[in-house]
Every structure is written in structure tokens, then in C-alpha cells.
Amino acid sequence: MPLLEVNDVHAYYGNIHALKGVSLTVEKGEIVTLIGGNGAGKTTTLRTITGLMKPRDGHVIFDNEDVSKYPAHAWVSRGIAMVPEGRGVFAKLSVEENLELGAFHRNDKENIKDDIEKSYEMFPRLGERRTQLAGTMSGGEQQMLAVTRALMSKPRLLLMDEPSMGLAPVLVDVIFEAIERINQEGMTVLLVEQNAHMALQIANRGYVLQTGQIVLTDKADVLQKDPTVQKAYLGIE
Amino acid sequence: MNEELRGTIKTGLIAGVVTLSLGMIGILVAFNKRFIVTDAVTLADLLLFGMAVIAGYLGASSLKEHSMGRRLLHGGLAGMLAAVPTFLLILLTLVWEGIRDSFINVEPALVSLLTLDNENVVVGGILLIVVFGVLGLVGVGYAQLPVRFRRPISMSLAWTIGSGVMSDILIGILRPRMSNDTLRSLFGSTGLQPVPFVVLFVLLTAVFFWWQQGGQTRYQTLRQNFTPRQQKSSRRVSISLLVIFLLILPSLLGVYLSEIFNEIGRFVLMGLGLNIAIGLAGLLDLGYVTNFAVGAYIMALLTSSSQFGPENPWSFWLAVPICVVAAMFTGFILALPVLKMRGDYLAIATLGFGEIIRVLARSDALKPVIGGAQGILQIPAAQIGGFMAQVMGYILNPINNLLSRFELGILATNSNGDIVFGNPPQLYYLFILASLLMLFISRRLNNSRTGRRWMAIREDEDVAAAMGINTTNAKVLAFTLSAASGGLAGAIFAAKLGSIFPSSFELLISINVLALIIVGGLGSIPGVIVGAFALVGIPQLLSEFAEFRLLLYGIALIGMMLVRPEGLWPSEVHRREIHSHGEDETAVPVSVKP
Ligand SMILES: Nc1ncnc2c1ncn2[C@@H]1O[C@H](COP(=O)(O)OP(=O)(O)OP(=O)(O)O)[C@@H](O)[C@H]1O
Ligand SMILES: [Mg+2]
């Protein structure tokens, strides 16, 4: 049984048919990537998974339960965390306070401190800046913060919406290495990316989304060699 | 003319214009009736001559690099210039007979104040300039003092002057405990007598000096060396002392001051409530008076023995929870339509609600139900009777007997053995109980999961939503809980006054509550208390202030925004937020490991 199963989901913004029957699965312990161009429906897919958006048709099943049965906003306590598009951090709070807020639904106060220390071990740059206001950090540092803050909720599935957006190549490497490391420690990741090259390097499997439809899916290394993917997303003619 | 000279002239003239304004709006004359040092120095003198000292201080401290002579020159000049605008006013009164028709406050009392009571006003005016010049030199001298002297002197001066200004309180507290002669040797009708004033000043200076020169560190090391057990018991002792102090406070204060405390208590209650919406959740609610009004009217409707009350009026204690729930329900209902609004729009919408409530309370349509402009009368005071009062009497009466030997007491039973919360010292217990309860709840909320959600929403609603926080729920909850405390304040208010009128529920209440939160420090719970003391307590204590209340509010708010925008007792987050604005230093990490 996969941890996450998206089954023939249709979603609309008013009359705009944004998802036209999307299906995908994520097994426990995998990194799965969802690649696609601007406006393909990647963010919309994530929104239906968290329940922020109700699909008009189809099901999202997380951990054997239909997500639509959740009360609104219950996804965090059910074990899903999201790193939102465009790295939303609380600009006027310190790094440490951002991390504390990441644990907003947890009750185990003692462990929160330990987990914050673990975040600093993962990204020493955050540890050096624990009292700095998040808004004054570089884009890469903010993305590190967004990732670790998502982890603070102790999720079983981590959704990431274009973590490489707007980052210098060096920083993209740092972030992707971290994703791999998190995954090796047992985290299941669904990674939405336009940077197909990087995403396919660390992912186990991938899906290609085009105007609201999955047009291709396979093992990541196979997709890397696929001529259409190479042409459309890897810039290889 | 060189840069520095121009600066000094500007400083002096600004101080002068401020002095002139204080005189023209009547503050100087009004304040001239209250002595700080009996028969010697009034509050007006303090403002007037203080301005010269400040001008001198600022005039000298703007030039750091120069010789003592240059500084004295600049300080003296600034001081003298500070008297020039008022001198021009004096000259104007000579040539313009009818000046009072246009400027009502330019009265003989003001002229004689500004001319040091001289017969010849021109001589007097020139004398004032000279005196101001000398005081400017004093300001320079003060600026020259090393900080380790300057700080204790400033602190001690502030406290001594404060004691002089607030001598009413001290007299009220000391009168039952002192012979009249002793009292008269310490205080005049207002203000401290000269000798006690000087003695107090010297003593306090010595204490502050000692504290700064080692007392503080010694005290801190002493506390650090406490074993955990000692720490615990010292905490316990200080908390017990505080509780005892709070319990006997009204008997210490007397009726008049207790009433002022109750007013402060009412605003602390409302402040704590509004702080939940504004301080914690960041929802700018300008209609907080709504909740207060609902609490008061429900209390009136349930307990009044007039035609507006029920056939069998309820007891206060049964009605209070209903009032609180009704206010929360109102908060909930009002939250629903405004949830989608943010910032300015929310503020305007809530402002509208506040006005609607006031209009409704006044309206003829609702007059048969809630009395219209005539309000609702015959609301009984809260009281405890019967068995409960008996039990409490068993405990309270012996304590009161013991305390009465020291002219003290606590909550008391009346001749029937009932406990009636009728007069201010008795009502105090109601307010303190309610305030402590709300303080406790506020603190718990602040540190709770809900508090963390509110913080996230306050900081950034979109990010909060993306983190899986149900922003709608959290906002409705903030409005609802915020209303509770206002409803409680309203309920006690109705039982306290015995009657309520729509005029008690005006926009000004919402503004007062908002102002005290801001002055205290947004989001800070101790700040609410400090703010209520500053903005509700002080104007009540100084009757002279009453006339200028709104003006002084304005000055206080503007001054706060300029000098200390984070409030008197800010919360940590808010303080940093304000001080990080546009300052580059925060862009560098505060603590970088090597
Ligand atoms: N709030 C909205 N209202 C109306 N249409 C929307 C809304 N959000 C997204 N859409 C539309 O839905 C489609 C899918 O958008 P989505 O944000 O899922 O794309 P995406 O794959 O995440 O793109 P990008 O890589 O640019 O982030 C787009 O055509 C977009 O215009
Ligand atoms: Mg997107």
C-alpha cells in the first residue's frame, strides 16, 4: 500500500480545469518528483494533497485514509508537511522562532528544543544565525529554514514546491543534498520541480505533468534519458 | 553663522515655542496650583524651568568636541532663547489690550508666572530670560556630569518629584496612621514640604548610587548563589508578600484611591481582552467597546429590579457567566463577516460595529427593552449572602479584627453578615479577582498552541496558512476570546454603578483601551497593566489633567511613538520588530560562531 495515492483527481479554479485526472503514488521512503512547466498544475496538485483545495472528482488517499475526510487544515497533524512555493518564512521572526512555530501543533515541548538543535546540525548556517531575523537572510538560507521548519512538525510525508526556485546553483546543490540526507533518514518526499535535471538526479521515480495531465512516468534514470523529457525539460536537443 | 550655533539657536527656540504653547493653552496656569514642593515649586514651575534646563542640556550636548567655555556659552544661549518667545508674548500684551478676547488663556496669572511676579512686566520678562540662561548653564553642568552620577540623580529626581506630584496618594495613605502634626511637617495641602523634599532626594540619590555602584551586582550574585530550594522558597515568599499586599491594599489606599484602582482594573480587564485580538493575533479591532456594552447591558437586563429586569432578578454571580458568554457570542458573530478583511479594512469595519452598538443602545426602537437614552436603573450591587457569606465571615472577621489594629483590613462583611461589593474598597476585590483570572488566562493563551497559531497569523497570514494553520478558526477564536474579558468588565461595571446609560459606551472607550495597549507595549501582558496605570490612573489622580486629558493622551502617544515605539513594557518580539526597521546592524547575524 503506497503512503500517498492520488487517484484520477480533477480540480477546478472556477471554470479553469486545472487538473484533468491526475494519478500518482508515493511509496514509503521514496523521493518522487513531479516535473512540469509553468502553469502545468504542480502547485494545484500539492494543494489537493493537503486538502487546501477540494478535488471535484477523484480521491487523495494518504496512509489508507481519504484526505477529503479530514477536517480542514488537519493535514499537519496527520503527518503531511509542506515547504511552500517561494519559501514562506516569517520575515520578522528569528530563525529560532520560525522553527518553534513549525512545531505549532506539537505538545511535546521538551523534544522541540532537541529537534531545533538537530535542524542546526543539518544546516550549520542556520545555527550560526539562530537569532537573526529570517527576512534578513539570503534566499538560500531562507529556503533551508523553510525546509527545516517543515520538518519540525515531524511529518511522514514532506511536500516541496520548487525549492530550487531563484537560487544560485551552489545553493541548489546544498538544498538537494539536504533533501537526499533527509530521505536517507527515512523521510518520504514528494518534490515538485521545474529544475528537472536536479530533481531527477536525486529522485527514485518521476512524473511529468503537462497542462493538468500526467503525460509520462517512470524511474528517474529512465526519464533522464527519455527524449521528450530531454527536449522539453533538460534543454538537450 | 556656523552650523553649531544655528543648531543651538534652533534648540533654544523650539524649547521656547513649546513653553509658549504650554502657556497659551492654559496648562501652565492650571498646573501652577499644584505644588511639588509646598509653597515653593509648582508643577508649572517645573515645566517652565525644566524647559530651560533641557534646552541648555541639549544645546551643550550637541557639541561634543569643544571646551567647557564654548559649552557653557551654547547652553546658556539655548536657555535664554527658550524664554524669548514668551517674552515676546509679554510685550504683545502691553501693546494689545484685547489679547484675551482672542487668546483666552493669556490671563494675568500667566503673565505674572512668566514675569516672576514682577510689577514691571518688561523687567520681569528680562529677569526670566536671565534665569533661563542660568538654568541653561545648570543643564550644561548636568550634561557634564559623569554617567555614574547623572543616572542616580535623574532617577532620584524623578522619584522625588513624583512623590511631590502624587502627594495626595501619600497623604491619603498616611493620614490614618500618623498624627496630624507629623503629616503637616511632611506635606502641605499639595506637595512635599521643602525639608522632607530635600531629605528624600538626598536619600534616594544615595540609595540609587549605592545600587549602581555595587548593590545591584551584590544582590544578583546573592541570588545566583541560592540553591534551587532557596530559590523556590524565596519565590514563594515574594509571591505570598505580593498576595498579602494586594489583599490589604484597599484599606491602605482608602475610598478615593480604591476607586481609582477600580477604574484602572476595569481598563486592565478590557486591555487584556483587546490585547488578545490586537497584540496576539494582530487583528486591529477598533470596536472593543461593543463587548463591554454587551456585558453591561446583559447584566442590567438580568439583575435590574426596574421594569427592564426580569420578574425575579438574577443574582450577580449567575448573571456574570451569561454576560461573558453573551459578549463572546457577539465577538463570534462580529468576527464572521470581517474574517476576509485585513488591516485597515478590518479596523474600519469594527469601528462601525462599535458605533452601531452605541446607536442601538440609544435608539427609540429598542427603548422598551433596554431603556434608550435613559438607560437602565436599579441594578443591585454584587453580593454574597447566606451560608457562603457565613463561612467567609468566619474566616474574614478574625483577620479584619487583627488588621484593624493597624488601621488595615480586607474584604468585610456588613452588619447582616452579608458581603456587599458596594463601596470602592469592597469592589476592589471583585476587580482584582477578575483581573487576576484574566491575567492567568492571557498568560496561558500566550504560551499555548493557540498562542503560537496567533503569532504565526500576526506575522504573516499567508505563510501561516501554507503551514497548515487554520487561519479562519484562529481568527474567530481570537475575536471570541478577546470579547470575554470585555464582557466581564462590563458586567462588573454595571453592578458597580447601579445604573447604565448609552453614554458610557462611546468610541472613546475603544480608543482608550487601544491607547493603553500601545503605550504599555503591544502584545505584552505586563504592558497592559503599566499602560492602564499610565493612561487611566495618572489622569484620575491629577485633577488638573482632566481638562487636558485628550491633549495629554495625544502628546503621550506621539512621544511614545517617537521615543519608545515598542511601549513601556514591550514584549520581546515586538521590541525587536520595531528596532529592526531599517537598521542595517540586524542584517548581520547577531551571534556568529567563529
Ligand atoms: N487561484 C487561482 N485562480 C485561478 N486560476 C488559478 C489559481 N491558481 C492557479 N490557477 C491556474 O491553474 C493552473 C495551474 O496552476 P499551478 O499554480 O498549479 O501551476 P504550477 O505548475 O505550480 O506552475 P508554476 O511552476 O509556475 O508554479 C494555471 O493555469 C493557473 O493559472
Ligand atoms: Mg507552482
Side-chain angles (χ1 to χ4, degrees):
Chain A
M1 201 65 189
L3 181 63
L4 174 75
E5 188 180 340
V6 175
N7 203 339
D8 194 24
V9 160
H10 290 261
Y12 291 80
Y13 292 103
N15 289 329
I16 301 170
H17 197 171
L19 298 185
K20 304 166 185 162
V22 171
S23 297
L24 61 85
T25 59
V26 182
E27 300 285 341
K28 203 174 249 169
E30 272 189 314
I31 299 182
V32 172
T33 182
L34 181 63
I35 54 183
N38 285 112
K42 305 183 294 296
T43 302
T44 310
T45 307
L46 292 187
R47 288 170 66 87
T48 59
I49 294 173
T50 56
L52 278 174
M53 205 169 146
K54 293 265 170 280
R56 195 172 291 180
D57 224 335
H59 298 279
V60 177
I61 293 157
F62 175 67
D63 201 20
N64 295 331
E65 249 187 305
D66 196 325
V67 168
S68 61
K69 282 206 205 106
Y70 293 2
H73 295 272
W75 43 281
V76 179
S77 44
R78 299 287 171 133
I80 302 181
M82 178 158 74
V83 180
E85 198 168 6
R87 64 186 89 90
V89 296
F90 294 104
K92 286 185 186 162
L93 295 183
S94 69
V95 168
E96 188 130 339
E97 284 159 340
N98 263 279
L99 292 175
E100 279 164 8
L101 278 183
F104 76 92
H105 78 293
R106 278 168 62 179
N107 272 332
D108 49 337
K109 277 206 170 144
E110 324 75 68
N111 300 338
I112 292 179
K113 281 265 168 278
D114 290 344
D115 287 339
I116 289 179
E117 289 308 319
K118 273 185 208 146
S119 311
Y120 295 151
E121 277 163 34
M122 188 188 320
F123 293 115
R125 281 169 80 151
L126 292 183
E128 291 162 9
R129 289 166 170 73
R130 56 181 79 190
T131 59
Q132 189 176 335
L133 297 193
T136 63
M137 297 199 304
S138 77
E141 290 158 356
Q142 289 188 28
Q143 190 60 264
M144 295 173 198
L145 180 58
V147 173
T148 43
R149 193 189 56 201
L151 292 177
M152 285 300 293
S153 70
K154 292 225 169 264
R156 282 175 295 155
L157 172 65
L158 182 64
L159 309 177
M160 306 181 92
D161 199 347
E162 301 198 36
S164 73
M165 199 208 288
L167 295 188
V170 197
L171 281 171
V172 174
D173 287 345
V174 174
I175 296 288
F176 275 72
E177 268 166 34
I179 297 171
E180 266 189 299
R181 206 153 9 116
I182 296 163
N183 172 253
Q184 277 155 16
E185 284 166 17
M187 182 65 59
T188 312
V189 179
L190 176 57
L191 172 65
V192 161
E193 262 302 342
Q194 288 205 48
N195 188 339
H197 178 69
M198 289 298 294
L200 288 172
Q201 268 183 9
I202 65 166
N204 304 94
R205 294 186 298 117
Y207 292 86
V208 179
L209 190 64
Q210 227 168 52
T211 53
Q213 279 173 314
I214 301 284
V215 291
L216 200 60
T217 172
D218 214 317
K219 289 217 162 61
D221 43 1
V222 180
L223 284 180
Q224 269 177 315
K225 293 183 196 106
D226 186 281
T228 41
V229 172
Q230 287 190 337
K231 194 164 164 217
Y233 302 106
L234 299 176
I236 302 169
E237 288 295 326
Chain B
M1 207 187 325
N2 71 29
E3 191 79 22
E4 288 174 339
L5 192 59
R6 215 178 306 149
T8 303
I9 291 174
K10 199 167 125 195
T11 307
L13 286 180
I14 288 177
V17 169
V18 171
T19 317
L20 182 69
S21 322
L22 290 177
M24 301 275 280
I25 58 179
I27 283 191
L28 283 182
V29 172
F31 285 12
N32 203 25
K33 296 182 188 90
R34 180 178 287 270
F35 284 107
I36 295 170
V37 183
T38 308
D39 295 333
V41 182
T42 65
L43 197 51
D45 295 330
L46 184 73
L47 278 181
L48 192 63
F49 299 121
M51 205 61 77
V53 178
I54 291 172
Y57 178 89
L58 295 176
S61 53
S62 61
L63 33 140
K64 280 271 173 280
E65 314 298 333
H66 289 286
S67 67
M68 195 64 199
R70 283 287 301 274
R71 288 194 181 193
L72 285 172
L73 200 69
H74 278 258
L77 179 64
M80 283 164 78
L81 284 171
V84 167
T86 47
F87 182 65
L88 294 178
L89 178 69
I90 301 289
L91 293 182
L92 193 63
T93 58
L94 290 180
V95 294
W96 182 11
E97 291 280 326
I99 187 169
R100 273 203 79 184
D101 299 337
S102 304
F103 298 100
I104 183 118
N105 288 312
V106 186
E107 49 186 314
L110 179 63
V111 174
S112 83
L113 182 68
L114 292 178
T115 54
L116 305 173
D117 300 327
N118 241 294
E119 287 285 317
N120 185 334
V121 291
V122 178
V123 174
I126 293 172
L127 210 58
L128 186 76
I129 295 182
V130 175
V131 171
F132 263 49
V134 174
L135 288 172
L137 299 183
V138 173
V140 180
Y142 187 68
Q144 271 335 97
L145 279 181
V147 178
R148 81 197 142 98
F149 294 119
R150 205 162 62 199
R151 190 163 305 145
I153 290 178
S154 313
M155 299 260 290
S156 140
L157 204 57
W159 278 93
T160 319
I161 290 173
S163 318
V165 175
M166 299 286 169
S167 58
D168 287 359
I169 306 187
L170 298 173
I171 295 173
I173 294 172
L174 293 175
R175 175 160 293 147
R177 299 172 181 79
M178 261 185 189
S179 75
N180 258 345
D181 290 338
T182 331
L183 203 60
R184 222 168 285 145
S185 65
L186 291 176
F187 299 99
S189 61
T190 56
L192 276 165
Q193 296 281 10
V195 177
F197 186 90
V198 173
V199 171
L200 184 64
F201 173 68
V202 172
L203 269 179
L204 284 178
T205 311
V207 169
F208 284 125
F209 190 70
W210 170 81
W211 179 252
Q212 182 189 294
Q213 290 303 97
Q216 189 179 11
T217 40
R218 224 175 296 163
Y219 172 75
Q220 275 163 356
T221 35
L222 188 74
R223 292 207 53 162
Q224 270 162 13
N225 290 340
F226 274 1
T227 63
R229 270 225 2 239
Q230 278 171 321
Q231 265 170 11
K232 222 178 195 170
S233 47
S234 90
R235 252 187 76 113
R236 225 172 269 157
V237 168
S238 30
I239 288 179
S240 320
L241 285 178
L242 181 69
V243 169
I244 292 173
F245 176 72
L246 287 178
L247 283 176
I248 61 166
L249 190 59
S251 65
L252 202 61
L253 293 175
V255 174
Y256 174 63
L257 289 176
S258 295
E259 171 56 19
I260 292 178
F261 254 78
N262 292 343
E263 273 300 281
I264 295 173
R266 175 160 77 99
F267 277 89
V268 165
L269 277 178
M270 288 195 274
L272 286 174
L274 187 59
N275 192 43
I276 292 175
I278 298 188
L280 302 187
L283 304 165
L284 186 49
D285 179 354
L286 292 185
Y288 196 71
V289 69
T290 313
N291 308 311
F292 179 64
V294 167
Y297 268 98
I298 298 293
M299 175 57 74
L301 290 174
L302 290 178
T303 67
S304 166
S305 50
S306 69
Q307 79 261 31
F308 300 111
E311 205 120 310
N312 299 309
W314 294 39
S315 101
F316 172 84
W317 306 104
L318 282 179
V320 162
I322 308 289
C323 296
V324 172
V325 170
M328 289 171 74
F329 185 69
T330 319
F332 173 75
I333 295 291
L334 294 192
L336 297 180
V338 299
L339 275 177
K340 291 257 151 64
M341 301 181 184
R342 291 189 187 187
D344 314 353
Y345 300 102
L346 178 68
I348 290 169
T350 52
L351 188 69
F353 285 132
E355 281 301 280
I356 289 173
I357 281 284
R358 194 179 60 87
V359 173
L360 278 183
R362 241 176 232 285
S363 73
D364 284 334
L366 286 178
K367 193 168 177 179
V369 190
I370 57 171
Q374 276 80 47
I376 302 179
L377 310 178
Q378 295 167 41
I379 306 165
Q383 64 172 323
I384 305 174
F387 179 66
M388 192 65 193
Q390 241 174 8
V391 173
M392 289 174 74
Y394 278 126
I395 304 166
L396 295 174
N397 292 341
I399 300 178
N400 269 319
N401 285 339
L402 180 72
L403 287 174
S404 63
R405 281 187 234 166
F406 310 99
E407 299 286 343
L408 294 172
I410 52 172
L411 189 63
T413 55
N414 66 7
S415 49
N416 298 332
D418 294 337
I419 298 171
V420 181
F421 297 92
N423 63 358
Q426 295 277 91
L427 270 165
Y428 164 91
Y429 292 98
L430 219 48
F431 278 106
I432 199 89
L433 184 71
S435 304
L436 288 179
L437 181 72
M438 289 315 300
L439 270 177
F440 176 74
I441 293 176
S442 290
R443 272 200 55 164
R444 291 302 297 261
L445 277 176
N446 199 6
N447 300 330
S448 68
R449 276 161 50 162
T450 311
R452 291 202 286 269
R453 285 200 187 102
W454 284 336
M455 181 171 176
I457 292 175
R458 184 184 71 210
E459 293 303 323
D460 192 327
E461 208 175 318
D462 297 323
V463 178
M467 275 173 60
I469 291 174
N470 189 338
T471 56
T472 311
N473 272 3
K475 278 157 75 175
V476 173
L477 191 65
F479 264 115
T480 310
L481 291 178
S482 150
S485 195
L488 182 58
I492 301 177
F493 177 73
K496 171 190 162 193
L497 284 194
S499 51
I500 54 169
F501 307 100
S503 58
S504 306
F505 307 104
E506 303 213 305
L507 174 64
L508 197 56
I509 304 240
S510 303
I511 294 178
N512 276 357
V513 180
L514 179 63
L516 79 87
I517 293 184
I518 293 174
V519 167
L522 263 185
S524 151
I525 293 170
V528 171
I529 300 171
V530 175
F533 269 88
L535 286 194
V536 181
I538 292 177
Q540 300 255 358
L541 280 174
L542 300 175
S543 42
E544 292 92 334
F545 280 21
E547 199 181 328
F548 305 104
R549 187 178 176 143
L550 287 178
L551 176 71
L552 294 176
Y553 261 43
I555 294 177
L557 281 179
I558 294 173
M560 286 296 293
M561 289 304 111
L562 289 175
V563 181
R564 220 180 141 82
E566 71 272 31
L568 292 173
W569 191 320
S571 68
E572 175 57 25
V573 173
H574 188 54
R575 189 186 60 70
R576 215 186 23 207
E577 226 162 73
I578 284 191
H579 285 287
S580 68
H581 260 287
E583 281 172 27
D584 288 335
E585 56 189 299
T586 49
V588 271
V590 179
S591 65
V592 186
K593 280 185 206 150

